Amino acid sequence: MAASRYRRFLRLCEEWPVEASKQQRDLGSVLRQRVAQAFREGENTPISDPEACDQMYESLVRIHTNFYKNKYPRLKDTTFTGVTVEDCRTILATDILKQMEDIKKGKWKRLREKFSAKKPEEDLK
């Protein structure tokens, strides 16, 4: 029975898209890592709680198939702030978040990082 659960999770991992703009923060890549950890022995992995495993699978399938998005359609594709889905994707991209972190740094810290031979983390020690 563990073999069929393992195959179902593998099929779900194959179908789940990986978003390249969210490096190491994408749900698809986290899902793949968790499945690899949970099924270390592959099809021979003993499952301590099969009901919880099945429930987790069904929940992930509902997320993947947009079950609740289809069940409860929205009237508009924007949030209360007026931001669209595409704007949210752009803002949450890893590159943009790194740029925002750089902007948050003060001028003195940026200059010190630029001209310092050692990393700023070493200064804190």
Side-chain angles (χ1 to χ4, degrees):
M1 200 63 184
S4 65
R5 286 185 177 92
Y6 176 66
R7 281 189 234 113
R8 288 190 319 171
F9 273 101
L10 281 182
R11 195 173 334 111
L12 181 63
C13 287
E14 289 173 1
E15 292 174 3
W16 205 291
V18 176
E19 204 167 325
S21 66
K22 295 181 183 176
Q23 300 161 353
Q24 298 178 352
R25 297 179 304 114
D26 180 47
L27 187 56
S29 61
V30 171
L31 176 65
R32 287 168 178 75
Q33 291 171 356
R34 293 280 176 98
V35 168
Q37 288 174 353
F39 293 97
R40 287 188 187 116
E41 299 173 22
E43 294 181 352
N44 299 327
T45 304
I47 298 174
S48 60
D49 192 359
E51 291 177 9
C53 182
D54 292 340
Q55 189 176 28
M56 179 67 71
Y57 174 77
E58 293 300 325
S59 296
L60 289 169
V61 166
R62 283 193 298 271
I63 292 171
H64 176 63
T65 59
N66 293 322
F67 177 79
Y68 292 105
K69 180 182 177 187
N70 297 332
K71 186 174 180 180
Y72 304 106
R74 298 176 57 131
L75 299 176
K76 298 180 182 179
D77 288 335
T78 61
T79 62
F80 72 96
T81 60
V83 178
T84 63
V85 175
E86 283 303 315
D87 292 339
C88 287
R89 282 196 181 115
T90 303
I91 292 168
L92 293 174
T94 303
D95 300 335
I96 301 297
L97 290 176
K98 285 181 183 178
Q99 289 175 4
M100 290 176 78
E101 286 176 16
D102 290 341
I103 291 171
K104 286 181 184 177
K105 292 180 184 177
K107 287 183 181 182
W108 178 249
K109 190 170 187 176
R110 277 187 272 159
L111 283 172
R112 195 172 73 195
E113 286 177 2
K114 188 175 184 177
F115 294 109
S116 177
K118 54 186 175 179
K119 295 180 181 174
E121 293 86 27
E122 295 173 5
D123 289 341
L124 298 174
K125 293 180 183 176

